[in-house]
Amino acid sequence: MPALKKTVMTVLSAALLSVSVVSPAGAADKDKTDDKQPRPTGQMSTVGGKRLGEVGTQVDLGPGAPVLPKELSARSWIVADAEDGQVLASHNAHWRLPPASTLKMLFADTVLPALQPKTLTHLVTEDELAGIGEGSSLVGVKEDHSYTVHDLWLGVFLRSGNDAVHVLSEMYGGVPATVAAMQRHAEELQALDTTVVSPDGYDAPRQVSSAYDLTLFARSGMQKADFREYAATATAEFPGGEKKGKRESFEIQNTNRLITGDIGVDPYKGIAGIKNGYTTHAGNTFTGIAERDGKVLLVTVMNPSSDESHAVYKEAAHLLDWGFAAEGKVTPVGELVPPKSAVPTKDSEPAAGADKAEKKPPAAAAAAPAGSSGAWTALSVAGGLLVLLAGGVFLVNRRWPLPDLVRRLPRR
């Protein structure tokens, strides 16, 4: 009997120990929750670091670092320092997913530099508006009406107008040529998860991108003054039809709710753009940039599963809050890589004119486009690492003059 009793006690002790070690409180419930979340089915890229190619959330919290926001439901997201490119945290960063209108960031970064000046006027034809996807977001471009390039870019950035995208694509050389140029530019930026099929981001077979790539597009685009200006514009006047021989106009508002706000969403303090999107297959997507106390962060959120209204903006705002609070308290899990042709010049001679560009003081203010609202105060520009880019200078590890938006705009 004593031997039997001893054996039973040993078995019970082992069982209790097993439960306490492998089944801590809540672990089973957490596993069930994780099993319900969509996961990448194929191998992900490791551009920017090995950790960025791993499935699930990647973060290294140091002493005093805040925990990540709870209830993040996005299939993929990333938080990165816009200046030095360090990725503070990510979740399935290289998962190839439909991008929706966030792909317009790549469109603008590719096409905008070629369509100058802003006053260039174009008469729209019926053919230029053909082929726009059913149910597309439109700004209201009409055939046989003239628009400036400035008007059309406002339509792209504020209203995500696919009609404006198609007209600008025709001005650039046609939709096929624009798609090909966008693909080449994506490859130059090392955005290798991206396959471009339509210039406007409308759902198309095989058209994909990733949170990582969208963040690269935003970072590249935000180094262009025109891009920054359009991305941060809250409202503007857009040309309408003619009435009694006079061209009328109507107001358009930016659909980025972290800029303009909406029911249940406040404008985000320090927001400076840049692009949101939605399609049936992509769900809601968003890439934003914000500045606080001299720190500039980029965040991308793709396809939240939450049923909460405006979940994509709320999750992006939570991640930005976390990123600002986590400054200096986390170890980066990767980096946003520079373009392929970028050659670091930290220890070498700068390009001709680079010193002049570095020493030139930033403008005190940048003018807002006519008819738009928001204060456009340029922030100070800090010196940093210069790298050469074929055809120009690519600036990293330095602050861009981000527009300082009015924090709360009147509701209409």
Side-chain angles (χ1 to χ4, degrees):
M1 275 305 277
L4 178 59
K5 183 177 180 180
K6 183 178 180 180
T7 301
V8 171
M9 292 299 294
T10 301
V11 172
L12 287 174
S13 297
L16 289 172
L17 179 61
S18 175
V19 170
S20 65
V21 171
V22 304
S23 301
D29 292 338
K30 184 179 184 299
D31 290 340
K32 291 178 181 178
T33 301
D34 290 344
D35 289 342
K36 294 178 182 178
Q37 294 295 326
R39 298 165 63 89
T41 56
Q43 185 175 358
M44 293 190 294
S45 167
T46 57
V47 171
K50 182 179 178 181
R51 292 282 297 276
L52 300 182
E54 296 179 7
V55 174
T57 300
Q58 308 301 318
V59 64
D60 285 337
L61 301 177
V67 297
L68 284 166
K70 297 179 180 179
E71 307 302 328
L72 292 175
S73 66
R75 293 190 174 190
S76 176
W77 55 259
I78 191 170
V79 184
D81 187 306
E83 298 174 293
D84 63 20
Q86 297 299 304
V87 176
L88 307 183
S90 69
H91 181 77
N92 300 328
H94 280 291
W95 192 357
R96 298 178 180 181
L97 298 166
S101 287
T102 46
L103 193 65
K104 288 183 173 74
M105 295 186 296
L106 174 62
F107 169 74
D109 195 37
T110 303
V111 175
L112 195 155
L115 296 182
Q116 299 291 341
K118 294 180 181 180
T119 54
L120 178 65
T121 301
H122 180 75
L123 180 65
V124 177
T125 68
E126 181 180 3
D127 290 343
E128 290 172 342
L129 297 177
I132 298 175
E134 183 179 353
S136 287
S137 54
L138 305 171
V139 66
V141 176
K142 304 295 182 184
E143 62 182 273
D144 299 325
H145 286 63
S146 294
Y147 300 86
T148 64
V149 167
H150 178 65
D151 294 330
L152 295 171
W153 282 117
L154 286 172
V156 171
F157 277 90
L158 273 66
R159 297 302 304 171
S160 203
N162 289 2
D163 46 357
V165 169
H166 277 250
V167 173
L168 288 166
S169 295
E170 291 299 331
M171 294 176 67
Y172 188 75
V175 170
T178 301
V179 168
M182 289 171 65
Q183 189 66 58
R184 289 193 298 272
H185 190 47
E187 292 169 1
E188 159 63 19
L189 295 177
Q190 300 200 64
L192 306 183
D193 298 325
T194 299
T195 300
V196 183
V197 179
S198 67
D200 49 27
Y202 189 83
D203 286 334
R206 301 182 308 281
Q207 181 157 271
V208 292
S209 190
S210 66
Y212 184 86
D213 284 12
L214 294 175
T215 309
L216 289 181
F217 302 152
R219 191 179 188 222
S220 177
M222 288 298 288
Q223 297 190 55
K224 298 174 176 62
D226 287 350
F227 191 107
R228 292 196 300 271
E229 176 186 297
Y230 290 124
T233 300
T235 63
E237 292 295 313
F238 193 81
E242 289 190 7
K243 189 174 183 179
K244 296 181 180 181
K246 183 179 180 181
R247 188 79 179 268
E248 296 185 322
S249 65
F250 56 93
E251 185 182 87
I252 57 175
Q253 185 182 71
N254 201 316
T255 56
N256 178 352
R257 299 308 181 198
L258 291 190
I259 288 180
T260 58
D262 200 357
I263 298 174
V265 180
D266 291 327
Y268 190 82
K269 183 179 180 180
I271 193 71
I274 38 186
K275 194 72 192 75
N276 56 297
Y278 173 81
T279 65
T280 302
H281 294 292
N284 287 288
T285 59
F286 176 72
T287 298
I289 187 168
E291 184 272 342
R292 185 178 297 175
D293 298 327
K295 195 73 173 177
V296 185
L297 296 182
L298 279 162
V299 62
T300 295
V301 176
M302 301 187 75
N303 199 355
S305 59
S306 172
D307 293 330
E308 185 179 14
S309 175
H310 296 314
V312 73
Y313 300 111
K314 293 177 180 178
E315 295 189 16
H318 292 328
L319 285 168
L320 284 170
D321 285 343
W322 174 85
F324 288 123
E327 178 186 358
K329 301 174 183 177
V330 297
T331 301
V333 295
E335 65 174 346
L336 301 177
V337 296
K340 287 195 300 185
S341 59
V343 180
T345 61
K346 187 175 182 180
D347 299 318
S348 58
E349 291 295 323
D355 282 343
K356 184 178 180 181
E358 269 296 274
K359 296 177 181 178
K360 183 179 179 181
S372 64
S373 65
W376 295 81
T377 304
L379 301 178
S380 61
V381 179
L385 175 66
L386 280 177
V387 291
L388 299 181
L389 175 64
V393 177
F394 185 79
L395 305 177
V396 297
N397 198 26
R398 87 176 265 180
R399 187 158 303 120
W400 314 305
L402 301 179
D404 184 17
L405 295 178
V406 172
R407 302 309 179 200
R408 290 183 180 271
L409 301 173
R411 305 293 172 85
R412 294 179 180 269

